[in-house]
Every structure is written in structure tokens, then in C-alpha cells.
């Protein structure tokens, strides 16, 4: 089955991974701006990173017939440095006409600190004033619940934010309903150990349904599996779910959400 | 949307995986218990959480995964901005 991975960090992956993705039916990917494995020393380093996302990765993906889209922002981890963050946010407008840039993300919280909350709020403001889609990273482990509630507080306090234009990512059993009940889209990350397994993701789908929900591999610096989405497909199939239901989660839903961006220049395969 | 399968089918398919997971927990707790100076972790809040989580597993009602997640989560403070 052809699928879209709506959250994968290809800058951290080797070219062979693109080949594996292509062989497993991956048609398109979206790559949020995130941490580079180390804290960058200047805003210029982010300009280079944004070029890498919008030019180099897009071309590298195209060599394997995969359409590459991306998101721009200062990530929650490096947002601890408020002055650097503001310089990075000021760079973003120069990339906002670039094809394939879907919006602002992944912004959010990491350790739920006041500095992270300040920069998160400023980036929500930036996205709202530029009418951009938003992709949100929720914290890990014991910080996830509190961080998700803080994120929802910030979103709710900005009347310009339309929930249907926001994707809240890395939801799990205890946060998925918070996101869906607020009218937001949500993403489940299939990740060994710290996030969801394919089986748990299907359990969640069976509880909350298939509206406004998608799955991704996150494929990043940690031990992660870039072809996790096909494993979710196999788990859904083995439980007897219809192909149309599976396709909605791994293809139609990301397509509907991304189509709200005017720079989503996607061409479906015949 | 709900489960498409009968509980019996699910148990047939998942019994070994659940048994495997429980054995891993048992062996993990044994590993800690057999460690040197085990008294030093007697009041460790992480162990307390683990023991509370084990009680959740023994409950009859579903929604255990969500309740275990909440047990391992920091509580929400509505005045976080101040
Ligand atoms: Zn990410």
C-alpha cells in the first residue's frame, strides 16, 4: 500500500533509508525542522539547515520517487536560548515562498520550561499572523501530559488559531483525546521503547476512530525505524481492518491536512 | 470504531506476547532486587510507581494503558504561567 510518512527526520538518515522507504511504498514524506543532534551556535546555522530541508533533502528524496515536504521553526530543545530563537524566527519569512514548505513546526515543548513556553507562544503567534499550518512536538515520558496541557492552553488563548490547521504530534493513550476533543489533528509516533508500538497505535485507533489521526516513524537521531508505518499497516491488516480504513490513516488523512497549505505541490501517483 | 475481533482470538494471538512482557517485568524487578545495597532503593519513587502500575494491571476494567500512562506522568498545574 502506498503511504505518506507525515513526520520523519531524513537529515539524520542515510540515502539507503530513502531506498528502503521507496521499496516499502512511501510516496511522500514531511520533515519538520528539529534538533540537529547538537545545539547550533548561530542563526546562520539554521539558515543552512533550512536550505538543507528545502533543497538538498527534496532532491535526495526525488531520486527515489519520493515527494519531500518540510516545516520550518526553532525546535523546542534549542528554544531554551530565547535570543537565538528570535533570530531564527526572523529568518523564516525568506523561506515562506519556497515550494514544499508546509508551515511552522515542529514547535512545542521539551522540558516544559518557561523559556520554551515563551518561544512556543511566539511561534504560534508567527504562524497565526502568517496564516501558516502548525505542527507540534509534545514532550516525552513523564513530561508529555503536562506539556500537552500547556500547549493546548497556549493554542486556546490565541483566537486566530484554527484547530483544524494544527497537528499535535507524538500523542499516546493519555493525550490523544485531549488533542482530538479540541478539534486538532493528531499524530502517533511509532518508536521503539519511548513512544508507541504499531500494536498500541492500532489499539488507540480502535478506541478513538480514524478521523483526524495519522501515524509516523519520526525516524531521527534516536534508535528509530524509518519504515515503521508499513508495520502499522501490517498490524491493521492482521486484525482484519478494511484496506480503505488503513488507507485513510496512512494516506488520505495526511493528504487532507497538508492540502490546507498553498505550497503543498503534491502529485498523486496514477 | 471498535475492535473487529473476538476476545478469544485476541487472547490466542497475544497470550505469548503478554506472558513474555510479564516475565520481563519479573526478571527486571529480580535484577534490581539482586543488586548490591538493595536497601538504598527501598523508598525510590520509581519503584513505588512500578508497584502502583502493577496494581493497575490487575484491575478488571479496560483503559489500563491510559491509567498507567497517567501514573508515570507529572500532574498538570493550571497556574503554570505564574
Ligand atoms: Zn520530530
Amino acid at each position: 500500500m502506498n503511504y505518506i510518512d507525515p513526520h520523519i527526520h531524513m537529515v539524520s538518515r542515510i540515502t539507503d533509508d530513502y531506498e528502503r522507504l521507496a521499496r516499502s511504498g512511501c510516496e511522500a514524506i514531511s520533515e519538520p525542522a528539529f534538533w540537529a543532534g547538537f545545539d547550533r551556535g548561530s542563526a546562520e546555522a539554521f539558515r543552512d539547515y533550512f536550505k538543507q530541508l528545502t533543497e538538498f533533502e527534496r532532491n535526495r528524496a526525488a531520486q527515489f520517487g519520493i515527494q519531500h515536504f518540510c516545516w520550518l521553526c526553532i525546535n523546542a530543545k534549542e528554544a531554551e536560548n530565547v535570543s537565538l530563537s528570535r533570530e531564527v524566527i526572523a529568518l523564516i519569512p525568506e523561506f515562506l515562498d519556497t515550494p514544499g514548505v508546509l508551515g511552522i513546526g515542529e514547535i512545542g515543548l521539551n522540558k516544559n520550561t518557561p523559556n520554551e513556553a515563551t518561544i512556543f507562544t511566539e511561534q504560534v503567534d508567527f504562524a497565526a499572523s502568517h496564516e501558516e499550518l502548525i505542527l507540534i512536538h509534545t514532550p516525552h515520558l513523564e513530561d508529555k501530559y503536562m506539556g500537552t496541557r500547556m500547549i493546548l492552553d497556549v493554542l486556546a488563548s490565541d483566537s486566530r488559531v484554527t484547530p483544524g490547521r494544527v497537528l499535535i504530534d507524538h500523542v499516546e493513550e493519555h493525550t490523544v483525546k485531549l488533542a482530538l476533543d479540541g478539534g486538532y489533528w493528531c499524530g502517533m509516533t511509532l518508536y521503539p521503547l519511548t513512544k508507541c508500538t504499531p500494536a498500541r497505535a492500532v489499539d488507540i485507533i480502535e478506541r478513538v476512530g480514524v478521523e483526524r489521526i495519522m501515524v509516523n516513524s519520526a525516524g531521527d537521531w534516536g534508535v528509530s525505524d524509518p519504515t515503521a508505518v508499513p508495520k502499522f499497516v501490517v498490524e491493521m491488516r492482521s486484525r482484519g481492518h478494511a484496506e480503505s480504513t488503513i488507507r485513510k490513516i496512512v494516506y488520505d488523512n495526511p493528504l487532507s491536512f497538508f492540502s490546507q497549505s498553498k505550497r503543498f505541490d503534491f502529485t498523486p501517483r496514477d | 470504531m471498535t475492535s473487529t475481533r473476538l476476545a478469544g482470538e485476541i487472547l490466542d494471538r497475544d497470550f505469548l506476547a503478554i506472558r513474555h512482557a510479564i516475565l520481563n517485568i519479573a526478571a527486571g524487578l529480580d535484577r534490581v532486587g539482586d543488586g548490591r545495597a538493595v536497601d538504598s532503593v527501598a523508598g525510590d519513587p520509581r519503584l513505588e510507581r512500578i508497584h502502583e502500575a502493577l496494581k493497575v494491571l490487575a484491575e478488571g476494567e479496560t483503559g489500563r494503558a491510559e491509567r498507567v500512562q497517567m501514573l508515570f506522568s507529572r500532574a498538570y498545574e493550571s497556574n503554570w504561567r505564574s
Side-chain angles (χ1 to χ4, degrees):
Chain A
M1 177 179 291
N2 283 359
Y3 72 94
I4 296 172
D5 192 332
H7 188 143
I8 184 165
H9 297 288
M10 294 310 292
V11 300
S12 66
R13 313 299 310 193
I14 55 171
T15 303
D16 304 46
D17 286 337
Y18 274 112
E19 193 180 29
R20 289 170 65 205
L21 288 172
R23 269 206 300 259
S24 65
C26 183
E27 194 169 325
I29 54 182
S30 107
E31 175 158 7
F34 194 48
W35 192 56
F38 60 95
D39 288 351
R40 283 157 280 207
S42 69
E44 279 307 307
F46 282 85
R47 181 182 270 120
D48 291 342
Y49 175 55
F50 294 160
K51 279 194 188 142
Q52 184 181 13
L53 289 176
T54 53
E55 295 171 16
F56 177 76
E57 288 305 335
R58 196 164 162 91
N59 291 334
R60 196 158 70 123
Q63 289 168 32
F64 297 91
I66 296 171
Q67 298 175 65
H68 182 280
F69 301 93
C70 71
W71 302 75
L72 305 176
C73 74
I74 172 99
N75 62 83
K77 212 174 164 90
E78 288 171 283
E80 194 51 34
N81 184 337
V82 171
S83 57
L84 174 69
S85 298
R86 288 178 177 149
E87 287 178 50
V88 174
I89 297 167
L91 283 177
I92 295 174
E94 63 185 88
F95 291 90
L96 281 184
D97 288 329
T98 312
V101 174
L102 300 182
I104 302 305
E106 56 186 305
I107 57 174
L109 299 172
N110 181 46
K111 292 286 172 200
N112 303 337
T113 68
N115 282 355
E116 290 171 16
T118 298
I119 293 303
F120 173 65
T121 308
E122 290 180 17
Q123 293 197 99
V124 168
D125 172 73
F126 179 94
S129 56
H130 289 80
E131 296 181 358
E132 292 293 340
L133 295 180
I134 298 176
L135 193 156
I136 294 178
H137 166 94
T138 54
H140 304 300
L141 304 171
E142 70 268 24
D143 295 314
K144 183 180 292 293
Y145 181 75
M146 172 67 185
T148 302
R149 295 285 303 265
M150 289 168 70
I151 284 164
L152 292 171
D153 287 348
V154 171
L155 294 172
S157 62
D158 191 326
S159 61
R160 298 164 303 168
V161 171
T162 308
R165 291 174 56 82
V166 179
L167 168 60
I168 298 183
D169 222 315
H170 317 316
V171 301
E172 292 183 23
E173 289 88 347
H174 55 320
T175 55
V176 63
K177 285 187 217 113
L178 294 173
L180 289 176
D181 291 350
Y184 302 97
W185 286 81
C186 62
M188 289 187 287
T189 297
L190 308 168
Y191 207 78
L193 290 181
T194 55
K195 298 189 184 86
C196 247
T197 59
R200 278 175 48 215
V202 179
D203 294 339
I204 291 171
I205 291 283
E206 288 176 347
R207 279 171 176 254
V208 304
V210 296
E211 296 304 325
R212 282 184 283 115
I213 196 159
M214 47 190 105
V215 293
N216 62 70
S217 70
D220 57 19
W221 301 105
V223 177
S224 47
D225 176 5
T227 57
V229 176
K231 290 179 182 161
F232 168 86
V233 171
V234 170
E235 179 70 22
M236 285 287 285
R237 239 176 228 152
S238 76
R239 296 193 193 186
H241 290 292
E243 292 295 298
S244 57
T245 306
I246 305 172
R247 186 184 156 92
K248 180 168 170 64
I249 300 162
V250 303
Y251 193 92
D252 300 341
N253 280 353
L255 207 58
S256 302
F257 178 69
F258 296 158
S259 294
Q260 299 179 85
S261 166
K262 54 186 178 293
R263 294 176 303 270
F264 184 55
D265 52 352
F266 175 73
T267 313
R269 285 183 189 153
D270 303 331
Chain B
M1 194 167 113
T2 48
S3 178
T4 50
R5 302 173 297 164
L6 295 168
E9 283 172 41
I10 300 172
L11 189 57
D12 287 345
R13 193 183 106 154
D14 288 356
F15 174 73
L16 283 178
I18 295 170
R19 175 186 181 275
H20 170 80
I22 290 177
L23 262 177
N24 268 337
I25 295 170
L29 291 173
D30 281 350
R31 221 172 289 135
V32 174
D34 290 342
R36 289 160 62 191
V38 68
D39 292 348
S40 66
V41 295
D44 191 303
R46 290 169 298 182
L47 272 184
E48 284 169 19
R49 288 276 163 80
I50 288 171
H51 287 295
E52 281 174 57
L54 291 174
K55 285 185 210 151
V56 173
L57 303 193
E59 290 167 7
E61 240 179 292
T62 64
R64 295 176 191 87
E66 184 178 348
R67 294 198 293 283
V68 168
Q69 288 274 24
M70 288 307 291
L71 203 59
F72 287 105
S73 296
R74 273 193 238 287
Y76 171 64
E77 292 157 31
S78 58
N79 63 344
W80 63 267
R81 281 187 173 97
S82 53

